[in-house]
Amino acid sequence: MQFIIQRDLLIESIQHVMKAISARVTIPILTGIKIEATAEGIKLTGSDSDISIESFIPKEEEGIENVEISKNGSIVVQAKYFPDIIRKLPLKTVEISTDDHFQVTIKSGGAEFHLNGQDAVEYPQLPIFKPENSFELKNDLLKNLIKQTVFAVSTVETRPILTGVNMKVEDHFLDFVATDSHRLASRKIPLDQANEKVNFSNVIIPGKSLTELNKILDDNEETITISVTENQILFQTKNLYFLSRLLDGNYPETARLIPEQSKTIVYAKTKELLQAIDRASLLAKENRNNVVKLQTKGNNEIEISSNTPEVGQVTEDVKTESIEGEELKISFSAKYMIDALKTIEEDRVKIEFTGAMRPFIMRPMDNEFILQLILPVRTY
């Protein structure tokens, strides 16, 4: 194998595939990066057997030559050293070649490195997906779906199923749901007619996989294809192939957690409410749950307060747009509330309460497809 490549493009691809490489893997070859040179371009692969990422650098793009390939071939290089070497090379181009003994030579300007490689034949093959259970989304839309739900997955391994996001397609809607049993985040989008035949309900994607995917995806209008099999999911763009295993088991029936009627409704400006809760949480950091209280008052005002005996207390009156229904006093985790409000990108938020000890829900005022649910905290 022998090729000359633009160093910046190679660095970008390395950064992508490194997100799938873990020091904890038990299969030695997976501690490396697989590099493949073909007539079409250069493909890099990283995997920890839970996540696999392939990044492709086309030989030529929009009339610009990215790679000059003299000899096809493949090799696995040590992920511990290869990225740093490439990053610190002196010139904008780098030449990489291998010999029959899996020795890798890296040249750039006057710098020359020789690394021991491994035979790429031993690297696990990634599966080929059948297109029947596939659908397409725009990159920016998928990034939004992830951002508005993944923060609510559980970080505790006691219930592994809750460390994932449940993706389901029902009635021509794609729905992402995440819960850690104290809060829930849901985001729905209508699917277009091209995706009408797709149907699945119990696809649970590890939160970790979605977080890594979100870092790699460009925030643009380009299309990403999502394909699902029994135990894996594939996200595929023009030059990226992101494969993740799915979590085993049945996701809890979350629809029944969402209250159907409310006793108190508060309409407020998202940013003002977020900032007030953020300020109140400054003194609540000491107590375990970071608890903040909300109390409705006359004159369309709510009082946000926090009291930690050993630190001090804070109260702030916040003007709302309107308050409907019964008077209310409720306590909740400031962190959960801040996380939820941050995902609501619209200016105004509607919060529906069904009493001091019942879960409450938040939605943007003009968007029924985003929902955040939070369980209150019992304070005596």
Side-chain angles (χ1 to χ4, degrees):
M1 176 176 89
Q2 188 177 10
F3 60 89
I4 295 169
I5 189 167
Q6 297 294 325
R7 189 172 64 100
D8 286 354
L9 290 174
L10 184 57
I11 289 172
E12 191 184 344
S13 270
I14 289 169
Q15 284 169 337
H16 289 343
V17 301
M18 282 298 287
K19 290 186 165 57
I21 294 172
S22 154
R24 296 193 310 274
V25 291
T26 49
I27 306 164
I29 200 147
L30 292 184
T31 59
I33 297 171
K34 181 180 170 188
I35 303 173
E36 232 173 316
T38 62
E40 285 77 47
I42 303 297
K43 188 195 285 175
L44 272 68
T45 308
S47 177
D48 67 357
S49 69
D50 282 345
I51 298 176
S52 302
I53 300 171
E54 271 182 10
S55 179
F56 182 69
I57 304 164
K59 190 177 169 190
E60 197 178 289
E61 212 168 13
E62 294 167 5
I64 298 164
E65 189 175 48
N66 297 326
V67 193
E68 195 183 307
I69 297 162
S70 315
K71 196 175 172 191
N72 294 355
S74 58
I75 193 84
V76 176
V77 294
Q78 298 169 47
K80 194 176 174 184
Y81 302 104
F82 185 71
D84 288 340
I85 291 170
I86 302 299
R87 204 176 290 121
K88 293 184 177 178
L89 289 174
L91 298 185
K92 285 203 184 313
T93 58
V94 48
E95 181 185 338
I96 296 175
S97 58
T98 60
D99 64 16
D100 296 340
H101 305 292
F102 309 117
Q103 280 284 316
V104 186
T105 303
I106 302 162
K107 290 183 192 169
S108 180
E112 185 171 318
F113 287 84
H114 296 274
L115 260 188
N116 298 328
Q118 288 174 278
D119 188 351
V121 172
E122 291 172 27
Y123 200 88
Q125 283 292 321
L126 298 189
I128 305 295
F129 275 69
K130 297 189 183 81
E132 56 254 27
N133 224 0
S134 299
F135 62 98
E136 291 185 347
L137 280 184
K138 296 268 191 284
N139 275 359
D140 51 2
L141 200 50
L142 177 60
K143 279 179 81 75
N144 256 343
L145 281 163
I146 295 170
K147 193 176 88 183
Q148 288 167 337
T149 52
V150 78
F151 68 90
V153 300
S154 174
T155 51
V156 187
E157 290 290 335
T158 45
R159 285 185 74 190
I161 205 91
L162 297 185
T163 62
V165 173
N166 184 19
M167 178 176 85
K168 48 188 179 182
V169 174
E170 294 173 326
D171 308 328
H172 311 312
F173 275 94
L174 172 69
D175 191 6
F176 272 43
V177 178
T179 181
D180 61 4
S181 77
H182 301 289
R183 56 173 166 180
L184 177 144
S186 157
R187 172 74 207 269
K188 275 185 187 184
I189 54 161
L191 283 176
D192 55 27
Q193 285 173 332
N195 296 323
E196 260 185 1
K197 291 189 174 69
V198 181
N199 204 5
F200 38 75
S201 61
N202 196 46
V203 174
I204 304 145
I205 312 161
K208 184 177 138 237
S209 301
L210 288 175
T211 303
E212 295 304 346
L213 175 65
N214 205 25
K215 288 177 193 165
I216 298 174
L217 282 182
D218 292 323
D219 202 348
N220 59 24
E221 294 260 313
E222 283 179 22
T223 301
I224 185 162
T225 304
I226 302 171
S227 313
V228 180
T229 67
E230 208 169 293
N231 54 5
Q232 287 179 309
I233 184 163
L234 170 67
F235 299 90
Q236 201 168 5
T237 67
K238 193 170 64 177
N239 294 329
L240 189 76
Y241 180 108
F242 185 106
L243 180 74
S244 168
R245 73 177 177 90
L246 295 172
L247 294 176
D248 277 341
N250 288 317
Y251 203 76
E253 186 48 67
T254 52
R256 59 190 173 76
L257 297 174
I258 296 158
E260 286 180 6
Q261 71 260 36
S262 50
K263 294 180 177 173
T264 313
I265 304 176
V266 174
Y267 299 89
K269 287 200 165 68
T270 314
K271 200 172 172 186
E272 283 178 18
L273 185 59
L274 173 61
Q275 288 170 344
I277 289 166
D278 196 18
R279 282 189 286 272
S281 78
L282 291 172
L283 299 191
K285 286 193 170 73
E286 291 303 311
N287 68 28
R288 198 167 51 88
N289 287 328
N290 199 345
V291 174
V292 164
K293 284 186 181 139
L294 179 151
Q295 184 174 354
T296 55
K297 298 171 79 176
N299 224 0
N300 286 338
E301 281 190 340
I302 53 174
E303 181 186 273
I304 305 288
S305 64
S306 163
N307 179 17
T308 309
E310 58 274 25
V311 182
Q313 64 181 51
V314 51
T315 59
E316 179 173 348
D317 289 342
V318 180
K319 192 85 179 146
T320 68
E321 296 201 355
S322 70
I323 299 172
E324 295 170 7
E326 300 175 4
E327 286 184 4
L328 176 82
K329 211 187 261 187
I330 193 166
S331 302
F332 48 78
S333 155
K335 181 190 181 309
Y336 288 175
M337 192 71 164
I338 289 166
D339 286 347
L341 285 167
K342 276 182 179 167
T343 68
I344 291 174
E345 289 168 350
E346 278 86 345
D347 292 338
R348 292 145 75 227
V349 64
K350 172 186 180 185
I351 312 172
E352 300 176 58
F353 300 93
T354 39
M357 290 321 302
R358 306 273 303 143
F360 60 93
I361 57 174
M362 289 192 286
R363 288 191 172 101
M365 223 180 279
D366 306 317
N367 188 343
E368 285 290 302
F369 297 147
I370 297 174
L371 179 133
Q372 302 288 340
L373 174 142
I374 296 174
L375 266 66
V377 175
R378 201 180 282 275
T379 53
Y380 295 106

